Amino acid sequence: MDRKGTKRLYSKLSYIYTAILVCAISILVFYFYRSTKNRVLEQNMSYTSMLCESVQSYLEDTSDMADYIHSDLYKSDMELWDVLHYMSDEVPDYLRYRLNIYSENKNAEYKGIDKFFLDAFQAYRSLNHITLYSYESEVVTEYTSDGKSYRRKADADFKKRFEENDLAGEDYFSYIKEIRNPQTMQVKGCMILGFRSSRFESVFNYYSRAELVVYNDAGTVIFDSAKQFPLSRIIGAEDNNVLEHVLEAYVLKTHKAQYHALCYLKKNRASRVPAPAVLMILAAATAVAVFGGLFVRYHLRLLEKRLNRILDGMAQVMDGRLDVRIPLDNNGDELDLISGCFNEMCINLDEHIKKRYLAEIEQKNAEMAALQSQINPHFLYNTLEAVRMKAICNGDREVGKMLYSMAVTFRAQIKEADVITLAQELHYCKKYMELFEFRYQNQFRSEIECPEEYLQVPVIKFVLQPVVENYFIHGMRMKEQDNFIRISVEKKDSFQIIVEDNGKGMPNDEIAAKNRELEHDAMVKQSSIGIANVNRRLKAVYGDAYGIRIGKGPQGGLRVVLRFCPDRMYLRGDKPGKENYGNEKGNDS
């Protein structure tokens, strides 16, 4: 019998399987590359949105600070009249006025302009300088945060910049607040409040994926991260609605009063996949191709060996030997079926072919009876987003911001992977705290500090929210206005997320009992279920050496320390999921 048939079959199957394998791997490589590219684009757009949102928040905060300082001046008659006399009187007359008021006043402390501005610098850390400008005498007095003041005559350059409302520079930007005589309502001068622009650089460094340009109506650049395009070209392109085309970028814009912020992400790098990720995809594809080719070759060799055994048995039967039996491999496939049927045929032939050979192949019918409809978890998120946009269109920005913060928190719970980055975790916690800022307006403030090099550190999600929520439920002093919570990230032998507050706190014996329960993962009190849950998750993922520790805070409240180590997570076999870093889109501006 001709044995060339098995070689031809082997070659055909080898070519077919190899072609299928190459096509399948190519499709998977293309899919993973496109998926990674879209994820990078989505992540970068999210960072751009967060950058624009943070800049808008700082501009709103400084504008509010200027309003608060201006209104506070009118709350104290002594301080207000001191400012009015300072701007209207000559220096000897002003000093005589102060001396007379001081001698008439029974209080030992004279509340004048110096003390007012010193209190303002202490209350608002972002305040860079305060300048008084008298319209009558054209005298300019600048007060700095170190308590010094500089009095001079207004020069032509200052007057020109004042008339153009262009009192800004690369390290500060200002708001002008006019001062009136409350009796005559005559404008005597103005107070120019200058704020530090270094915050823009800090925000840009925090979200460094996109570029940031901050400027005023007069065309003065306050901050420009790239310094690639002249401001005149940007303003001209914006007026002609071709800004994205000129910058070749995705653009987000915001403004407050006379200040504008422009965040743009270059399109040529918005979806650029990092080289390590490309190399990893190619390496994985190569490994799959090599091992797949070896598996196909091994499988075809076994198939060729089994076919040759069947052909040998047939050749012996053709020679007249009906006692030939082909051994079965018990693989349960068609070749075993052929071998079994061949052996049975030989038996039937040996009995003078009195029985008919029957072979039937039964079809397996496995069809789906019905498809169960699933609730789309994004329905609620999309509904919240629609409500948020409706609130913004109706002019209700606060409701819009609350809905946005709620939508970000909700979407993070239903969509994000179990392992996210510190930047995402801090961002979601910030959005969660913003909800309470609306609920307890002007009752507390918060701070989040994290070095830039730690932002991409992986961590299991939602370890901060239960701790912060525990503070709002049990620690916040509802009758006080100076509630404070601070979140910071440090790295010693492991990473630490520190949550400090000035709340009600706990006695030392209760703190010791809580720490014992946390150390042995045995907390059973209902009031601590959130902290117990986070502690149990940290220990389960990173090991028993990590978790939560509670102590006295430096300001009288609690100091909660969350310890974790990303390397330990990988040693335990955990892998980050499909991270979607900051994929909550939208802007509450």
Side-chain angles (χ1 to χ4, degrees):
M1 177 178 289
D2 186 9
R3 293 296 186 89
K4 294 182 181 180
T6 57
K7 297 294 183 180
R8 288 195 294 267
L9 179 61
Y10 174 84
S11 299
K12 291 179 180 179
L13 292 178
S14 178
Y15 293 148
I16 293 174
Y17 286 175
T18 302
I20 294 175
L21 182 63
V22 170
C23 292
I25 293 175
S26 300
I27 294 173
L28 289 176
V29 168
F30 178 77
Y31 169 79
F32 283 116
Y33 178 79
R34 293 291 300 179
S35 177
T36 304
K37 190 173 183 179
N38 292 335
R39 187 165 63 249
V40 170
L41 175 60
E42 191 176 42
Q43 176 184 343
N44 289 338
M45 291 297 295
S46 176
Y47 272 88
T48 305
S49 177
M50 288 187 285
L51 171 63
C52 191
E53 176 186 317
S54 299
V55 172
Q56 171 72 10
S57 177
Y58 182 59
L59 290 175
E60 291 177 352
D61 290 343
T62 54
S63 179
D64 292 340
M65 291 177 193
D67 292 335
Y68 293 153
I69 295 173
H70 186 243
S71 61
D72 287 341
L73 180 61
Y74 283 87
K75 293 179 181 178
S76 174
D77 291 337
M78 182 179 294
E79 294 173 344
L80 176 60
W81 284 106
D82 186 81
V83 172
L84 291 173
H85 278 279
Y86 180 84
M87 291 190 298
S88 301
D89 300 342
E90 295 294 330
V91 175
D93 296 334
Y94 168 72
L95 294 177
R96 190 178 301 108
Y97 165 79
R98 289 193 60 165
L99 183 60
N100 293 335
I101 295 298
Y102 182 80
S103 61
E104 294 173 1
N105 190 8
K106 296 180 179 180
N107 297 328
E109 183 182 10
Y110 179 81
K111 296 182 179 179
I113 183 175
D114 297 330
K115 185 178 185 304
F116 177 79
F117 289 157
L118 185 60
D119 292 341
F121 283 119
Q122 292 177 352
Y124 304 102
R125 299 298 182 183
S126 299
L127 195 61
N128 184 59
H129 65 271
I130 301 177
T131 302
L132 283 180
Y133 178 43
S134 173
Y135 292 166
E136 296 178 0
S137 61
E138 296 186 347
V139 173
V140 177
T141 305
E142 181 175 341
Y143 294 83
T144 58
S145 58
D146 55 4
K148 298 180 181 180
S149 61
Y150 306 90
R151 182 183 176 95
R152 59 184 171 85
K153 194 73 173 178
D155 54 16
D157 178 67
F158 176 84
K159 294 178 181 178
K160 179 180 178 182
R161 295 176 59 197
F162 180 81
E163 291 175 357
E164 295 176 354
N165 196 12
D166 188 18
L167 299 175
E170 291 185 354
D171 58 346
Y172 72 94
F173 60 102
S174 305
Y175 296 93
I176 300 175
K177 300 296 179 180
E178 291 188 336
I179 300 176
R180 297 176 179 268
N181 188 320
Q183 295 177 351
T184 64
M185 296 305 295
Q186 181 181 4
V187 178
K188 294 295 185 179
C190 67
M191 178 171 53
I192 304 171
L193 302 165
F195 293 88
R196 294 184 177 91
S197 61
S198 57
R199 178 67 178 274
F200 296 126
E201 183 176 3
S202 301
V203 172
F204 167 74
N205 292 332
Y206 198 88
Y207 305 105
S208 57
R209 305 293 177 87
E211 302 296 340
L212 172 63
V213 180
V214 182
Y215 59 96
N216 62 8
D217 289 337
T220 297
V221 176
I222 300 172
F223 178 80
D224 188 352
S225 60
K227 298 180 180 179
Q228 183 178 0
F229 298 94
L231 183 59
S232 58
R233 184 181 179 188
I234 293 177
I235 295 176
E238 185 176 6
D239 294 338
N240 295 324
N241 294 323
V242 292
L243 185 57
E244 287 193 0
H245 176 72
V246 172
L247 298 180
E248 296 181 349
Y250 301 100
V251 179
L252 291 177
K253 297 176 290 185
T254 184
H255 75 278
K256 179 64 178 180
Q258 71 269 31
Y259 296 104
H260 303 261
L262 180 68
C263 305
Y264 62 94
L265 179 65
K266 300 291 289 185
K267 292 182 179 180
N268 58 0
R269 70 179 201 181
S271 60
R272 183 185 300 167
V273 180
V278 176
L279 293 177
M280 183 181 66
I281 294 175
L282 294 178
T286 303
V288 171
V290 171
F291 286 106
L294 293 176
F295 175 78
V296 169
R297 183 179 178 84
Y298 173 77
H299 177 73
L300 292 180
R301 288 296 182 187
L302 292 179
L303 180 62
E304 180 187 16
K305 182 178 179 181
R306 295 174 66 189
L307 286 174
N308 286 333
R309 283 206 308 262
I310 295 175
L311 292 176
D312 288 339
M314 291 181 177
Q316 294 181 46
V317 171
M318 291 177 63
D319 292 338
R321 295 184 55 185
L322 297 180
D323 57 343
V324 176
R325 300 294 182 268
I326 300 175
L328 303 179
D329 294 327
N330 296 323
N331 291 323
D333 56 11
E334 286 78 4
L335 290 181
D336 275 346
L337 180 61
I338 292 174
S339 299
C341 292
F342 178 84
N343 293 335
E344 185 178 353
M345 182 187 67
C346 291
I347 295 174
N348 291 337
L349 288 175
D350 195 40
E351 293 177 355
H352 308 292
I353 315 177
K354 293 182 179 179
K355 295 181 180 180
R356 179 183 299 177
Y357 169 72
L358 301 175
E360 297 179 357
I361 301 177
E362 299 180 355
Q363 291 183 338
K364 296 181 180 181
N365 299 321
E367 299 178 351
M368 283 188 184
L371 293 174
Q372 296 181 350
S373 61
Q374 299 179 348
I375 298 177
N376 187 351
H378 299 286
F379 169 75
L380 181 55
Y381 171 79
N382 292 333
T383 302
L384 288 174
E385 184 68 10
V387 175
R388 182 180 78 89
M389 294 307 298
K390 182 65 176 177
I392 292 176
C393 292
N394 291 337
D396 198 338
R397 294 174 54 82
E398 290 189 353
V399 173
K401 292 181 71 173
M402 292 179 67
L403 289 172
Y404 174 68
S405 299
M406 181 178 179
V408 170
T409 303
F410 176 76
R411 190 179 189 188
Q413 296 185 30
I414 64 174
K415 186 174 180 181
E416 291 292 354
D418 293 334
V419 179
I420 60 177
T421 63
L422 265 178
Q424 291 175 274
E425 180 68 14
L426 293 174
H427 179 67
Y428 299 145
C429 184
K430 176 182 177 182
K431 291 302 172 187
Y432 178 75
M433 290 191 295
E434 285 181 357
L435 293 175
F436 286 89
E437 289 181 0
F438 286 102
R439 181 178 178 182
Y440 306 109
Q441 291 190 4
N442 301 323
Q443 282 191 262
F444 83 97
R445 61 188 179 91
S446 61
E447 290 183 3
I448 298 179
E449 297 180 1
C450 178
E452 183 180 1
E453 59 269 21
Y454 301 157
L455 292 179
Q456 299 303 317
V457 172
V459 64
I460 58 176
K461 72 175 181 181
F462 283 97
V463 295
L464 276 176
Q465 179 175 322
V467 178
V468 175
E469 181 179 5
N470 192 67
Y471 160 71
F472 285 119
I473 295 176
H474 303 290
M476 188 172 177
R477 297 168 294 139
M478 298 300 179
K479 296 182 180 180
E480 304 295 335
Q481 302 294 321
D482 61 343
N483 292 281
F484 174 79
I485 184 170
R486 179 176 181 269
I487 301 174
S488 59
V489 180
E490 298 178 357
K491 181 181 181 183
K492 296 179 180 177
D493 55 337
S494 61
F495 283 92
Q496 295 183 355
I497 304 178
I498 303 172
V499 182
E500 299 174 332
D501 63 71
N502 62 346
K504 299 177 181 178
M506 295 171 57
N508 291 330
D509 54 347
E510 291 188 16
I511 291 178
K514 293 287 185 183
N515 284 328
R516 286 194 298 269
E517 293 175 354
L518 288 170
E519 183 178 359
H520 297 90
D521 196 13
M523 294 188 71
V524 296
K525 295 185 178 181
Q526 187 67 22
S527 61
S528 301
I529 186 171
I531 294 181
N533 180 274
V534 174
N535 181 67
R536 187 172 296 112
R537 290 169 58 209
L538 290 173
K539 288 182 177 292
V541 175
Y542 301 103
D544 295 334
Y546 303 92
I548 294 180
R549 188 77 177 177
I550 302 176
K552 279 284 188 182
Q555 300 185 19
L558 289 181
R559 186 176 189 268
V560 183
V561 180
L562 295 82
R563 296 180 62 248
F564 68 98
C565 181
D567 296 335
R568 290 289 301 168
M569 176 177 62
Y570 296 133
L571 289 175
R572 293 168 64 88
D574 295 324
K575 300 289 185 181
K578 295 182 178 179
E579 290 88 356
N580 218 354
Y581 300 151
N583 62 356
E584 64 285 2
K585 295 183 178 179
N587 189 352
D588 59 347
S589 59

